[in-house]
Amino acid sequence: MPVSTRLGARRAQRHWIAFQTRVLAMNAAVEAGRAGEAGRGFAVVADLVSSLAMRAEEEAQRARDGLIATQTEIGTAVEAVTRVDRALEEIAAEVTKVHGLLGRMSEDNAAQSDAISEIATAIGAMDRSTQQNAAMVEQTSAAARGLTDEVATLADQAGRFRTGAERPARRRAA
């Protein structure tokens, strides 16, 4: 049975009890009036029952007011829970997006790492090639210096030889 139905049944039951108590008090007052002096005790009982009926009605009203306040608070709490639920759903969706972005970033980082490794390998190969070229240039330079020295030596040795063709030219110059 829903809460609102149970609360309505209890409220009706309290009203019925208060009504019955007021009827009982009125009957006691009527009987006290009929009995006259002998019904004085009845009149006291009637007053007590009447007071009880009023208190019962006041308590029923307080209970009604409390129930209304509670129902209002429950409604407010349900709305708050609904808002929190929606907010949590939005947060979960955003967290899922963040996970997706982190996954893509991880993939991009791996690709960049691979590219950097390839670049480092290419730079290493270029460095080895440059060192080999430098060694070859050094060897070529050393060979060129050696050849220069040999050419100078050959030119000096060739300059010592005298051929017959040079004599007439010397004589003419003389």
Side-chain angles (χ1 to χ4, degrees):
M1 179 182 279
V3 173
S4 60
T5 305
R6 283 191 305 231
L7 293 177
R10 286 183 186 155
R11 195 175 322 149
Q13 187 178 19
R14 280 191 217 111
H15 282 296
W16 180 252
I17 291 170
F19 173 75
Q20 289 295 323
T21 307
R22 279 195 307 273
V23 169
L24 182 62
M26 286 183 349
N27 284 339
V30 168
E31 290 301 321
R34 282 188 195 159
E37 194 61 37
R40 196 179 251 180
F42 232 176
V44 171
V45 170
D47 280 343
L48 290 174
V49 170
S50 180
S51 295
L52 178 63
M54 287 176 27
R55 279 190 299 210
E57 187 137 358
E58 289 170 1
E59 290 302 318
Q61 183 62 40
R62 279 193 210 118
R64 260 193 310 272
D65 293 344
L67 286 173
I68 291 170
T70 301
Q71 285 175 335
T72 303
E73 290 171 0
I74 288 171
T76 302
V78 167
E79 289 174 10
V81 167
T82 302
R83 284 193 306 269
V84 167
D85 188 43
R86 275 191 235 125
L88 288 175
E89 287 174 0
E90 290 173 8
I91 289 169
E94 293 300 319
V95 166
T96 301
K97 287 179 187 176
V98 168
H99 281 292
L101 290 173
L102 289 174
R104 279 185 248 135
M105 287 173 62
S106 174
E107 292 169 4
D108 291 347
N109 285 343
Q112 287 178 351
S113 176
D114 291 344
I116 289 171
S117 294
E118 290 175 12
I119 290 170
T121 301
I123 289 174
M126 288 171 41
D127 186 46
R128 284 189 297 279
S129 178
T130 301
Q131 289 176 1
Q132 289 173 352
N133 288 343
M136 287 175 24
V137 166
E138 185 64 36
Q139 290 172 355
T140 304
S141 178
R145 280 193 301 271
L147 285 175
T148 301
D149 292 344
E150 286 181 28
V151 167
T153 303
L154 284 175
D156 187 42
Q157 289 176 356
R160 290 185 194 157
F161 286 104
R162 304 268 181 232
T163 59
E166 283 185 355
R167 286 189 183 163
R170 271 192 186 175
R171 285 186 195 160
R172 286 186 202 151

